[in-house]
Amino acid sequence: MHDIRAIRENPAAFDAALSRRGSAPVSSDILALDEARRGKILAAETAQAEQNKASKEVGAAKARGDEAEFERLRALVAEKKAEIAAMQAEAKELDAQLTDLLAGLPNLPAEDVPQGADEADNVELHRWGTPRQMDFAPKEHFDLASVQDGMDFETAAKLSGARFVLLSGAVARIHRALAQFMLDTHSEQNGLTEVNGPVLVLSEMMYGTGQLPKFGEDSYQTREGWWLIPTSEVSLTNIVNGSTIAEDYLPRRYTAHSLCFRSEAGSAGKDTRGMLRQHQFEKVEMVSVTHPDHSDDEQKRMLRCAEGILEALGIPYRTIVLCTGDMGFGARRTYDIEAWLPGQNTYREISSVSTCGDFQARRMNARFKPADGGKPQFVHTLNGSGLAVGRCLIAVLENGQNADGSVTLPQALAPYLGGKLTLNTDGTLS
């Protein structure tokens, strides 16, 4: 959500920031609703004062036996009461309209975010690692001999339809090992608190992180009204929903490994083969709740946490900053990390690390109380993949593949695989 006071003070700046994201000017509509709402509130308060005054005078008129004045004042009190109720109802409706309008607007981009229309305008920041030169034609993950028996799309389609996978045997174990490695690294080395939270959440929680009301079609809702989380960002960020916490409680840094569910609305025909784009997948998420003065540094810290996972696994990657036209709805700034996939001969997204400023905090009404006793302020929230487990599995398999279809696995996974770091062509580990 947006600060209505900032819009009142500088509507042109608000429209200019929105225009960077390709949105039309809307401050005039916002201010018209705001002025009408405040006008109704003021009128209701004025009528309330008149009602209170008349109510006091009713008793005096009765006491002095002035029946005509008594009846006039009593009628005035009843009239004002009806006026107040009507104006309060109108103010409430105008407030709902204003809230709905603001809730549908994306976050304003940070000043240093590059201007652009789409992913073609994203800016590469740096690369790590050199893609391995293979003396054979590299294959995609699902075509590797060692993987085919353990990555079953046909049975998954029988069970659930398209965009699902059934992992089994050694492939399932490697997938699990990756998630454990990520969680241990984040909790033991990166200072994040591990959380195991719900994957079913209330609508208010989806609203708090910006999935509702605008993007409901991207997620799944049960008949009881719960939503299946598209990422544990929803569960983790909303820990502070409706809270006012002490300044010295910040920063809060969380990590969770969870199932995630996305309808992939609008992705028909994209990445239909393999595990790149699934309705159900697993991710290790990072969420930070910080003081506003520290959120930019915290984003860089979180980015390094995600990059460090890939470096430990020996996966070449590149880091980019998304342009204004490619950022998500709730982000002020987003860094994407793209892992090298030799089977596709390209880099593909494996993590997004975003700062939302106070955008989500306003929707959640999440504040902190300054240590100096000042007025409570909104916290800043950040989220990032650390990493997408399925996509990391793809990167490990493709980068470690050998000419015979076996896979040499990263040394970092040895503690989780009993020291077995070769996925053999028969699907076993040795």
Side-chain angles (χ1 to χ4, degrees):
M1 200 84 72
H2 299 281
D3 184 355
I4 187 65
R5 288 173 297 181
I7 300 173
R8 289 178 198 143
E9 291 169 3
N10 200 337
F14 183 77
D15 284 340
L18 275 183
S19 71
R20 295 190 66 209
R21 299 198 64 153
S23 298
V26 72
S27 65
S28 59
D29 295 335
I30 293 171
L31 295 179
L33 280 173
D34 181 50
E35 185 176 356
R37 177 185 64 89
R38 290 197 292 165
K40 291 297 180 183
I41 292 172
L42 178 60
E45 291 172 347
T46 301
Q48 182 71 64
E50 293 171 352
Q51 180 192 16
N52 293 341
K53 180 182 178 182
S55 295
K56 292 178 182 178
E57 293 175 352
V58 165
K62 183 70 172 177
R64 65 177 180 265
D66 190 342
E67 286 299 321
E69 182 64 4
F70 171 76
E71 292 297 334
R72 186 189 74 81
L73 289 170
R74 192 168 68 167
L76 179 61
V77 169
E79 177 186 334
K80 291 300 177 184
K81 184 177 181 179
E83 283 183 17
I84 292 166
M87 286 184 287
Q88 287 177 337
E90 291 175 17
K92 185 176 180 180
E93 172 59 27
L94 289 166
D95 186 68
Q97 291 179 32
L98 179 59
T99 298
D100 287 347
L101 177 55
L102 291 172
L105 298 175
N107 202 351
L108 305 181
E111 292 182 1
D112 61 354
V113 173
Q115 186 67 31
D118 53 36
E119 61 182 15
D121 296 317
N122 295 338
V123 177
E124 182 175 317
L125 299 177
H126 57 261
R127 298 189 181 200
W128 182 91
T130 301
R132 177 175 143 226
Q133 295 298 312
M134 301 179 183
D135 57 4
F136 57 91
K139 293 182 178 180
E140 293 195 60
H141 57 288
F142 48 81
D143 281 332
L144 293 171
S146 56
V147 173
Q148 289 177 341
D149 288 342
M151 190 176 289
D152 188 345
F153 297 98
E154 289 186 6
T155 301
K158 178 182 71 173
L159 296 172
S160 305
R163 295 191 187 276
F164 291 90
V165 66
L166 185 71
L167 301 181
S168 63
V171 175
R173 185 176 179 183
I174 298 166
H175 185 268
R176 172 165 54 90
L178 284 166
Q180 290 179 281
F181 165 66
M182 294 173 197
L183 278 178
D184 286 350
T185 301
H186 291 318
S187 60
E188 295 173 9
Q189 298 180 27
N190 295 335
L192 281 67
T193 299
E194 182 177 349
V195 176
N196 190 325
V199 297
L200 290 169
V201 296
L202 301 172
S203 295
E204 295 88 336
M205 304 302 109
M206 294 283 279
Y207 178 88
T209 44
Q211 283 78 23
L212 294 179
K214 199 166 185 178
F215 303 103
E217 66 175 12
D218 294 333
S219 297
Y220 295 105
Q221 187 177 26
T222 69
R223 60 176 175 267
E224 293 84 5
W226 287 306
W227 292 84
L228 290 164
I229 59 170
T231 162
S232 53
E233 169 201 347
V234 180
S235 307
L236 297 177
T237 308
N238 277 289
I239 289 174
V240 295
N241 189 310
S243 302
T244 300
I245 57 183
E247 182 177 351
D248 62 8
Y249 191 67
L250 301 173
R252 305 307 299 169
R253 295 171 175 141
Y254 302 111
T255 186
H257 168 224
S258 75
L259 287 167
C260 305
F261 305 88
R262 293 183 187 171
S263 68
E264 292 296 341
S267 66
K270 296 180 181 177
D271 299 315
T272 54
R273 301 187 69 201
M275 284 185 61
L276 269 169
R277 197 180 295 271
Q278 301 274 285
H279 290 309
Q280 173 188 309
F281 57 97
E282 296 179 35
K283 190 152 65 114
V284 172
E285 185 74 3
M286 305 179 293
V287 162
S288 289
V289 181
T290 74
H291 189 288
D293 292 346
H294 305 149
S295 60
D296 285 348
D297 287 340
E298 185 68 13
Q299 187 182 20
K300 295 172 184 175
R301 181 187 188 279
M302 291 175 71
L303 179 65
R304 283 301 304 145
C305 290
E307 291 174 338
I309 296 292
L310 287 172
E311 291 173 14
L313 295 171
I315 306 298
Y317 68 85
R318 69 172 191 159
T319 299
I320 62 176
V321 58
L322 300 191
C323 70
T324 54
D326 200 32
M327 286 197 306
F329 178 79
R332 289 189 73 236
R333 182 194 303 109
T334 297
Y335 299 118
D336 267 11
I337 307 172
E338 298 179 343
W340 174 253
L341 299 185
Q344 292 191 11
N345 194 40
T346 192
Y347 291 92
R348 295 299 301 266
E349 178 198 337
I350 200 167
S351 173
S352 286
V353 180
S354 298
T355 177
C356 299
D358 62 5
F359 185 80
Q360 292 178 328
R362 289 180 180 278
R363 299 171 78 98
M364 297 186 299
N365 193 26
R367 304 169 187 256
F368 72 95
K369 188 173 182 180
D372 62 7
K375 183 179 178 181
Q377 302 175 37
F378 288 107
V379 298
H380 278 197
T381 60
L382 305 95
N383 62 82
S385 310
L387 305 163
V389 182
R391 292 196 172 196
C392 198
L393 174 65
I394 293 171
V396 164
L397 294 174
E398 292 195 10
N399 282 279
Q401 66 180 288
N402 301 307
D404 64 353
S406 64
V407 176
T408 301
L409 300 167
Q411 183 65 39
L413 297 183
Y416 305 93
L417 297 174
K420 299 176 180 179
L421 292 178
T422 300
L423 178 61
N424 301 303
T425 55
D426 63 358
T428 63
L429 287 170
S430 64

